[in-house]
Amino acid sequence: MGEHQGNLFEPQFNRSVKVQATDHRITANAGVLLLREAEHRLGLFDSIAKDIRDPRRPDRIRYRIDELIRERTFAMAVVCSAQDDVDRLAHDPAFRASAWNRTGDKVADEPLASQPTQSRLISILARQQCNLEAV
């Protein structure tokens, strides 16, 4: 039933309370995998992303537009509406598997886009009328 982990500490005032470290491979957002499956079948974000005019230099792009849109939308779907929440979700294994649109083991190790990158996405989408129309 999982890996045994030792207690970080046991408070003296109430020994029934135990504080344990959590495994970085565990998520509280497993439902995002269902969202990803539904989105994948619909092809929703891929169809939006193909119409977005991306002003970034291609040689400096780490996160593609479809991945950024997917990450932001899924974060809002699990009630993480503030852009600051994406920094916490960037290391969540379910979010990494859901937002990346790439294959291979590297997906499990790569963090998602940071809050400043998500802010640039909003700027890219809002800056040009054609991008607003695509969304």
Side-chain angles (χ1 to χ4, degrees), residues 31-51:
V32 77
L33 296 170
L34 296 173
L35 290 173
R36 173 62 170 131
E37 183 62 24
E39 187 278 323
H40 178 72
R41 289 181 185 209
L42 294 172
L44 181 64
F45 298 135
D46 291 334
S47 67
I48 290 172
K50 72 176 176 49
D51 294 331

Side-chain angles (χ1 to χ4, degrees), residues 16-76:
S16 67
V17 175
K18 307 226 186 304
V19 179
Q20 296 180 335
T22 59
D23 191 327
H24 69 280
R25 298 171 294 174
I26 296 174
T27 182
N29 299 302
V32 77
L33 296 170
L34 296 173
L35 290 173
R36 173 62 170 131
E37 183 62 24
E39 187 278 323
H40 178 72
R41 289 181 185 209
L42 294 172
L44 181 64
F45 298 135
D46 291 334
S47 67
I48 290 172
K50 72 176 176 49
D51 294 331
I52 300 291
R53 189 173 307 150
D54 190 352
R56 300 177 296 168
R57 286 183 40 189
D59 61 323
R60 294 193 176 183
I61 293 175
R62 180 175 181 187
Y63 303 101
R64 299 189 319 240
I65 290 291
D66 63 309
E67 294 166 342
L68 293 172
I69 293 172
R70 191 174 292 112
E71 178 184 355
R72 185 73 187 116
T73 305
F74 290 170
M76 289 188 295

